[in-house]
Amino acid sequence: ATWGPQPDMVQRLLSVACMAMLLPRWVGAKVPVATLARSLAWAWLVAGLVSAVMGLLQYAGVDASPWVSTSQPGVAFANLRQRNQFASLMSLGLVALLYLANTQRALPSGGASPWRAQLRTACLLFATVVLALGHAASSSRTGVLQWVLLLGLAWCWSRLPAAPRAP
């Protein structure tokens, strides 16, 4: 009998190495919490979008191995190997997208041109569609409940009065 590392050990070591490289920079530079929150939101959004594309490839029956786990056509779970986890990642991607959209809206425009605002809106819509398609491909009822709750929360938050901006 031979002994060796588990198949997912490479991903775990890579994640730990990335965090080990970023953490001293964040702590040493005394990065503001808002910057850390935006970084985390971008990480969740990118992870959600990449996984959504993987799930859509699986759903369509495209063989993208060794990068994407194989599955039967019509079944999508990306590399998470479980539909509900995949749907939860799509929900996390939506939360990150809503956070980023809201924080960008709160920033002063600085004389940005109208085409940049239109491009930003198009990117937000495209990312939402990709996440929604990935979620739909998962066919997870848990994910449906998560999205309904998130949309309800987003609607409630949109009704709250705007917080005053710091000078």
Side-chain angles (χ1 to χ4, degrees), residues 65-132:
S65 60
W67 298 103
V68 180
S69 298
T70 57
S71 73
Q72 301 171 6
V75 177
F77 48 77
N79 284 348
L80 297 174
R81 303 202 180 250
Q82 214 275 338
R83 293 179 313 138
N84 288 338
Q85 291 177 356
F86 176 60
S88 293
L89 181 57
M90 298 300 100
S91 297
L92 284 170
L94 179 64
V95 168
L97 184 68
L98 291 172
Y99 174 78
L100 290 169
N102 191 40
T103 55
Q104 285 296 106
R105 187 180 63 182
L107 294 175
S109 64
S113 60
W115 70 267
R116 289 190 77 181
Q118 292 173 349
L119 178 64
R120 181 181 164 276
T121 302
C123 288
L124 288 172
L125 287 173
F126 179 74
T128 304
V129 168
V130 170
L131 290 170

Side-chain angles (χ1 to χ4, degrees), residues 8-98:
D8 62 347
M9 185 54 71
V10 174
Q11 291 99 344
R12 290 180 185 180
L13 289 175
L14 183 62
S15 298
V16 169
C18 289
M19 192 61 174
M21 288 187 300
L22 292 175
L23 194 59
R25 178 182 160 101
W26 285 342
V27 172
K30 297 184 182 184
V31 178
V33 173
T35 303
L36 292 175
R38 272 195 307 277
S39 299
L40 184 60
W42 275 108
W44 279 118
L45 179 59
V46 169
L49 291 171
V50 168
S51 290
V53 170
M54 288 178 175
L56 291 171
L57 290 173
Q58 284 175 329
Y59 190 82
V62 175
D63 182 23
S65 60
W67 298 103
V68 180
S69 298
T70 57
S71 73
Q72 301 171 6
V75 177
F77 48 77
N79 284 348
L80 297 174
R81 303 202 180 250
Q82 214 275 338
R83 293 179 313 138
N84 288 338
Q85 291 177 356
F86 176 60
S88 293
L89 181 57
M90 298 300 100
S91 297
L92 284 170
L94 179 64
V95 168
L97 184 68
L98 291 172

